[in-house]
Amino acid sequence: MDEVLLRSLTPGVLAVLVRRGADFAAAEDAVQDALVEAVRVWPDDPPRDAKGWLVTVAWRKFLDAARADSARRRREDLVDEEPAPGPAPSVDDTLQLYFLCAHPSLTPSSAVALTLRAVGGLTTRQIAQAYLVPEATMAQRISRAKRTVSGVRLDRPGDVATVLRVLYLVFNEGYSGDVDLAAEAIRLTRQLAAAIDHPEVAGLLALMLLHHARRAARTAPDGSLVPLAQQDRERWDTEAIAEGIGMLQAALARDRLGEFQAQAAIAALHADAPTAEETDWVQIVEWYDELTRLTDSPVVRLNRAVAVGEADGPRAGLAALAELDAALPRYAAVSAYLHERAGDLATAARLYAEAAKKANDVLERDHLTRQAARLNTRLRH
C-alpha cells in the first residue's frame, strides 16, 4: 500500500466532498473511512483511477452516515447526485482547501490547528509541540474548531496570513519531524507565490528554500544530527540558496518587512557564509532584534540569545538567556551550549543531559546525549 499516494490524494478528495455540500467534520470522517477501505481493498484489487475511487467511496460513506442520522435526513435528497465511478478531474485542490479551512468564523490559531490536522496530515501531538501547549489542550482546540465549522458552508476563504502560518508549520514538521512534508509545503508556497504578489509570501518561500538547501548536510551517514556549524557546506544546494536569496532581496526591496522576511534574512546570512567562523553574527543579532519587534516570540528571544553569545561572547549570551523562562523548549540545550563556550563543562554536561530528557525529536535527543557524554569523558580525564 502506497501511503504517500494516499496522503497526496486526501486533500483533493476532501475538497470534492466539501464542494458537494458535506460539512467539514462529516467530510473528514468519510474520507478517513474511505482510506481505511483503500488499505483493505487496494493490495488485491488496485483501482485504475485512485482519486476517482476514493471520491466515490468517500461520498458513499458520507451519504450512509447522513441517512443514519435522523437529524440530517434532508441530506438523503443528495443520493441521486452520487457520482459514478470513473476518472476525477486531476485538479490540485490542496491550496484552495488551505484557504477554506482558514474560515473567517475561526480564530487564526484555531484555523491553523484545524488545517494542520485535517489537510496537512499532522497528528495532534505534532501540532501541540509546534504550539508549545499540552496535547490535551490542542485536542480540545481542534474539536472546538470542528464544531464551529460543522454545518457552515466553507465558501468564504480566510486570509493569506493564516495560510502562510499553516504552510510554515507544515514545512517545519516536514523538515525536522516524523512526517516528510517539507517538499509539499514548498510546492504549495510556490503556487501561492505565483498567484499572489505579496512580499511575505516571497519571504516564506525564500525561508523554506534556504533551510531546505541545507537538508542533505543535516545528518551524518550513521543518521546522527550534524549541527549547523559542523555541516559540510559542499553538500548544500547552491541553486536553492541563490534562488532563496534573490527572492528575499526582491521582497525586502519593497520595504514591507514581515516576520518571514526577517527569518529568511537570518537564514541567508548563515547560507552566505563560506565557513561557520565567517558568519556575520552581529548582523544576525540585528535581524533577531527586528524579528523580536515583529513577533515578541519567546522562541525568537531564545535563538537571539545564541546569536548574542556568538557575536558578543558566551557571558553576554547567558545574560540574554537569563531574561527568559527556563521552561521554554530547548532552553536547557541553549544554556548548555553557552556554558560550554564559557568553559563551565560540568554545568554544560548536566544541562545537556537534562535537555536530552526533554527533547521530543529522536535525532535531537541522541545528539544532546552524545554531547553530555563527550563532556563527561573530558571531565573524567
Side-chain angles (χ1 to χ4, degrees):
M1 173 56 58
D2 192 339
E3 294 182 7
V4 175
L5 173 62
L6 285 177
R7 181 180 294 279
S8 68
L9 293 175
T10 298
V13 176
L14 184 57
V16 170
L17 266 64
V18 169
R19 286 202 301 268
R20 289 182 178 275
D23 68 67
F24 192 89
E28 185 184 18
D29 290 341
V31 172
Q32 292 302 317
D33 288 342
L35 293 176
V36 171
E37 188 74 4
V39 171
R40 185 181 70 83
V41 173
W42 286 10
D44 297 323
D45 186 20
R48 285 180 297 178
D49 176 30
K51 183 176 179 181
W53 189 99
L54 285 172
V55 168
T56 300
V57 173
W59 186 248
R60 286 174 178 165
K61 297 286 186 183
F62 164 71
L63 290 177
D64 288 344
R67 295 189 194 101
D69 187 348
S70 59
R72 299 180 180 179
R73 289 190 181 278
R74 65 184 182 279
R75 295 190 187 273
E76 292 184 357
D77 295 336
L78 299 174
V79 69
D80 293 333
E81 299 178 20
E82 179 179 332
S90 57
V91 177
D92 186 352
D93 302 296
T94 309
L95 191 58
Q96 177 193 14
L97 197 56
Y98 271 60
F99 274 95
L100 292 177
C101 286
H103 197 268
S105 63
L106 295 172
T107 64
S109 61
S110 294
V112 170
L114 177 63
T115 314
L116 289 172
R117 181 71 186 90
V119 189
L122 273 64
T123 65
T124 303
R125 176 182 60 82
Q126 290 168 328
I127 301 169
Q129 290 171 1
Y131 271 87
L132 310 180
V133 299
E135 184 174 348
T137 300
M138 183 52 64
Q140 292 174 356
R141 183 179 301 177
I142 293 172
S143 295
R144 285 196 300 271
K146 287 182 177 180
R147 287 196 299 270
T148 299
V149 299
S150 180
V152 173
R153 191 163 186 84
L154 298 181
D155 56 358
R156 291 187 298 152
D159 65 355
V160 174
T162 300
V163 174
L164 289 179
R165 177 63 51 192
V166 173
L167 290 168
Y168 175 61
L169 292 175
V170 169
F171 175 82
N172 279 344
E173 190 59 42
Y175 189 69
S176 61
D178 302 329
V179 182
D180 187 359
L181 296 169
E184 173 68 357
I186 291 174
R187 184 183 72 84
L188 292 173
T189 307
R190 281 193 186 279
Q191 285 187 8
L192 188 59
I196 299 177
D197 183 19
H198 193 297
E200 271 294 81
V201 176
L204 177 58
L205 182 54
L207 176 63
M208 290 179 175
L209 291 171
L210 290 165
H211 279 311
H212 205 59
R214 303 198 302 259
R215 188 167 191 176
R218 290 184 71 243
T219 54
D222 63 359
S224 60
L225 188 67
V226 180
L228 175 61
Q230 299 170 23
Q231 289 177 13
D232 179 0
R233 299 184 179 223
E234 294 295 322
R235 300 183 64 195
W236 289 1
D237 184 343
T238 54
E239 289 186 8
I241 290 172
E243 182 185 3
I245 290 177
M247 193 171 297
L248 171 64
Q249 289 173 338
L252 291 175
R254 300 177 66 175
D255 199 23
R256 290 168 55 193
L257 183 64
E259 62 174 294
F260 293 122
Q261 295 169 71
Q263 288 190 59
I266 293 168
L269 287 167
H270 283 297
D272 205 34
T275 65
E277 293 73 23
E278 295 174 86
T279 303
D280 189 345
W281 286 105
V282 172
Q283 194 172 167
I284 287 176
V285 171
E286 293 174 355
W287 275 112
Y288 271 121
D289 289 339
E290 288 286 350
L291 193 53
T292 300
R293 180 182 61 80
L294 290 166
T295 68
D296 196 29
S297 164
V299 175
V300 169
R301 292 180 183 275
L302 187 69
N303 292 331
R304 178 184 179 278
V306 177
V308 169
E310 298 290 351
D312 301 327
R315 295 297 176 190
L318 287 168
L321 187 65
E323 300 174 2
L324 304 177
D325 185 352
L328 276 172
R330 295 190 172 89
Y331 182 100
V334 170
S335 183
Y337 174 75
L338 291 171
H339 275 95
E340 181 182 359
R341 289 276 320 282
D344 187 350
L345 302 189
T347 300
R350 175 179 59 78
L351 288 170
Y352 275 130
E354 178 185 325
K357 293 177 182 178
K358 297 178 179 178
N360 293 309
D361 181 76
V362 175
L363 287 179
E364 183 181 2
R365 185 187 311 129
D366 291 345
H367 171 71
L368 293 169
T369 300
R370 283 193 296 272
Q371 295 295 89
R374 173 179 58 81
L375 292 185
N376 283 324
T377 298
R378 287 182 60 183
L379 290 167
R380 284 195 296 270
H381 295 82

